[in-house]
Amino acid sequence: MKFNKKSMSKGILKDIIIVAIGVIVIWISLQVVFGTQNPFYVVASGSMIPVLEVYDVLIVQGHVPFEDIKVGDIIVFNRPTTHDRVIVHRVASIIDDEPKTIRTKGDANPASIPGTDFPITKEDYIGKVAYVIPQLGYVTQLLKPPINYIIIVIVVGIMIVKQVYKKKNEKEIAIQGIPDTNDSQIESTVDIPELEKLEKDKEYSKHEESKLPESEESGKDQK
């Protein structure tokens, strides 16, 4: 059975667009709720063991103002001056109040690291750790190339199969909906024994009887 390739392509494209729009809407909603461009971070080092393990996923709350950060809070921030790395450490002390400047330290580190743990200002601050999802970061490792490409191919393949199956069902339904002429003929020849027993319409009967003598008389005149 041949299928309309153009129609199938449109169906697949429609599914992809719906999925993409759904992902974008969810992502934007999360950004608004948590007040940061990226609410999720994966722990990449053991500097915060045992509180945070490698591959733990952090949900960061950006709505907590930098001015409200206090000693003991676990925060996510860009490395001071260079901003070449995102770090998650605990606030160890407040160095200055005007402007507010803090020093952090990894729980597993013996001391704060200059240029990494301090001086941290509002410009370096990303957000405060609100939730921790243990070991979910392993999923991000599984999604690295080439596995992520394989998953994309599988998803597209599922969409294609879905469209083919949908078109097949539509054609089967259309075929089943065509009336069979043989069936109508069979129904028309059904014998109804009770039909002869039905009482004739009185007005119709009188009308036919009134015409009968005229027919007979006209027949006689012709003779």
Side-chain angles (χ1 to χ4, degrees), residues 110-123:
S112 298
I113 304 171
T116 297
D117 285 308
F118 66 91
I120 298 168
T121 62
K122 185 177 181 180
E123 287 70 28

Side-chain angles (χ1 to χ4, degrees), residues 121-154:
T121 62
K122 185 177 181 180
E123 287 70 28
D124 310 315
Y125 174 73
I126 295 175
K128 179 182 176 181
V129 174
Y131 305 99
V132 180
I133 306 176
Q135 303 300 289
L136 187 63
Y138 277 111
V139 176
T140 62
Q141 297 299 311
L142 294 175
L143 294 179
K144 287 183 177 180
I147 297 177
N148 57 342
Y149 299 119
I150 295 173
I151 293 173
I152 291 172
V153 170
I154 292 173

